[in-house]
Amino acid sequence: MPANLEEHAAKLLDWLYASYNSATPSSDIDSYLEENGLDIRFGLDVVRHLADTGLVEDVSTFGGPGALLNHRGIAAAQRRQAELAAPRRRAEELRRRMLTWLDQEEEADRIPVDWSEFEAGANLEATGGSYSHRDVLKAAQYLHHQGLITSARLDQASDGEVRPHLTAEGHACLTDFGGVVADYLARGSRGTTNVNTTSTTINVADNHGNMAMANKNVVQNLNMGLDVTEVLNLAGLVGQISQTLGLSDATRAELETEAASLHKEAESQSPNRGVMRRMIDGIVRLLGEAPTTAAKTMLVGLAEAAVQSITGS
């Protein structure tokens, strides 16, 4: 199975931040690639992806890939670490890792005796402190009770502990929701939308997320003392990368619609600060349903900058 670009972009962002804070910071990512069994070509792709989202400077050479965190990348890494350290996010990430590991074991025609091999790998390493054996057992019990895994029953063992393996629902959670259990369990409670997600196209930005910067209304807004540049950048990037955020179709459609409305309001003759603020808050709320990735972190950072630019706080 090919390595997941978005997943490694987020992990590399963490790795670069740790290197940035070390005594000997380096732009060389060879050791990261080696630790994760990745080749140079994939490393170049990850660096380009982070550079395209504005988080790093691409300093790759003919000798191999390289990246330097910029100020956006540092802020994004700090937000990501704070978010991943939150108890709810930690629990969600552990469940996702456990489902992914079971899928890998199944792919290799193995049914694990218990979770000991999972714990023996790097799966317990996490921002905000490593996961404990107790954390794993609690997560296994939760996954079992939600019908995502099944297990053998033993008097001295908790549900989900012995010979765990994925159910059909567990597979669906992985394939349709990226292993994000909360999103899978909430799938039936999401509101409906009239947006046709198969044919909706939102052309609101150029390739860099910079939107209509020569537009007459934008110039007028700047002259009126209201700089909507950050607002337009946010709406533009949402339209470009919404499909990479791991959201359900309904939520993604709602997010894209909100971004298009925000763009329209920002470009109007007299954009309303309060209306734009509510729209940005709506975008952040919808982003909260996405798993933590570099792309999501970038958008949350842009949303914060957009609010500050129109409110001054």
Side-chain angles (χ1 to χ4, degrees), residues 3 7-8 11-12 15 29-39 42 122:
E7 178 182 349
H8 281 287
K11 290 175 64 177
L12 180 58
W15 188 89
I29 68 168
D30 284 350
S31 58
Y32 174 84
L33 298 178
E34 184 177 348
E35 290 167 9
N36 291 275
L38 304 172
D39 58 29
F42 185 80

Side-chain angles (χ1 to χ4, degrees), residues 185-244:
L185 297 179
R187 68 195 185 283
S189 61
R190 297 185 189 279
T192 58
T193 178
N194 293 324
V195 177
N196 184 343
T197 60
T198 61
S199 60
T200 299
T201 302
I202 300 178
N203 297 314
V204 292
D206 63 18
N207 290 334
H208 303 288
N210 301 313
M211 302 175 58
M213 294 313 298
N215 183 283
K216 180 180 178 181
N217 292 339
V218 176
V219 175
Q220 288 177 339
N221 293 337
L222 287 171
N223 291 337
M224 294 169 59
L226 179 58
D227 185 351
V228 295
T229 304
E230 295 290 350
V231 177
L232 293 171
N233 284 340
L234 169 64
L237 192 57
V238 168
Q240 290 178 45
I241 67 174
S242 61
Q243 294 186 6
T244 71

Side-chain angles (χ1 to χ4, degrees), residues 8-17 50 55 69 73 76-77 80 294:
H8 281 287
K11 290 175 64 177
L12 180 58
L13 186 70
D14 293 339
W15 188 89
L16 288 169
Y17 183 68
L50 286 173
L55 301 178
L69 281 180
R80 173 175 157 78

Side-chain angles (χ1 to χ4, degrees), residues 236-313:
L237 192 57
V238 168
Q240 290 178 45
I241 67 174
S242 61
Q243 294 186 6
T244 71
L245 296 172
L247 294 167
S248 69
D249 287 346
T251 303
R252 178 170 62 82
E254 189 178 353
L255 179 65
E256 290 176 350
T257 301
E258 195 75 62
S261 298
L262 178 62
H263 169 243
K264 183 177 180 180
E265 179 66 28
E267 275 204 322
S268 66
Q269 292 287 343
S270 301
N272 185 298
R273 285 182 171 87
V275 170
M276 289 191 293
R277 174 62 190 269
R278 287 194 293 274
M279 291 177 176
I280 295 170
D281 289 344
I283 287 174
V284 172
R285 174 182 59 79
L286 293 167
L287 289 173
E289 299 187 29
T292 302
T293 62
K296 174 187 173 179
T297 303
M298 178 65 173
L299 288 174
V300 171
L302 286 177
E304 292 175 357
V307 169
Q308 186 173 8
S309 71
I310 62 176
T311 64
S313 61

Side-chain angles (χ1 to χ4, degrees), residues 38-253:
L38 304 172
D39 58 29
I40 290 178
R41 181 179 177 182
F42 185 80
L44 291 169
D45 288 339
V46 176
V47 171
R48 287 193 204 100
H49 179 69
L50 286 173
D52 287 345
T53 56
L55 301 178
V56 305
E57 303 299 326
D58 187 344
V59 294
S60 302
T61 66
F62 289 112
L68 283 174
L69 281 180
N70 57 28
H71 67 287
R72 286 186 183 273
I74 294 169
Q78 291 171 341
R79 283 193 299 271
R80 173 175 157 78
Q81 293 202 355
E83 185 174 346
L84 288 175
R88 183 176 69 85
R89 284 297 184 187
R90 277 177 51 82
E92 191 60 63
E93 174 62 16
L94 178 58
R95 295 165 191 161
R96 186 193 67 80
R97 293 184 190 185
M98 291 168 71
L99 292 177
T100 301
W101 182 75
L102 285 180
D103 185 56
Q104 293 169 346
E105 292 294 290
E106 185 176 302
E107 189 72 22
D109 292 325
R110 294 190 297 261
I111 296 180
V113 175
D114 52 26
W115 295 97
S116 56
E117 290 189 17
F118 172 85
E119 295 177 23
N123 296 295
L124 300 188
E125 298 174 7
T127 300
S130 297
Y131 296 108
S132 66
H133 176 64
R134 180 172 177 270
D135 290 333
V136 173
L137 293 186
K138 286 174 60 180
Q141 190 173 50
Y142 180 84
L143 294 173
H144 186 276
H145 290 174
Q146 296 298 335
L148 301 179
I149 68 172
T150 187
S151 63
R153 297 184 63 87
L154 291 178
D155 291 341
Q156 303 301 319
S158 59
D159 290 339
E161 182 178 358
V162 179
R163 298 188 69 78
H165 59 278
L166 291 172
T167 63
E169 290 204 357
H171 280 291
C173 179
L174 275 173
T175 57
D176 298 343
F177 293 85
V180 182
V181 175
D183 286 355
Y184 178 76
L185 297 179
R187 68 195 185 283
S189 61
R190 297 185 189 279
T192 58
T193 178
N194 293 324
V195 177
N196 184 343
T197 60
T198 61
S199 60
T200 299
T201 302
I202 300 178
N203 297 314
V204 292
D206 63 18
N207 290 334
H208 303 288
N210 301 313
M211 302 175 58
M213 294 313 298
N215 183 283
K216 180 180 178 181
N217 292 339
V218 176
V219 175
Q220 288 177 339
N221 293 337
L222 287 171
N223 291 337
M224 294 169 59
L226 179 58
D227 185 351
V228 295
T229 304
E230 295 290 350
V231 177
L232 293 171
N233 284 340
L234 169 64
L237 192 57
V238 168
Q240 290 178 45
I241 67 174
S242 61
Q243 294 186 6
T244 71
L245 296 172
L247 294 167
S248 69
D249 287 346
T251 303
R252 178 170 62 82

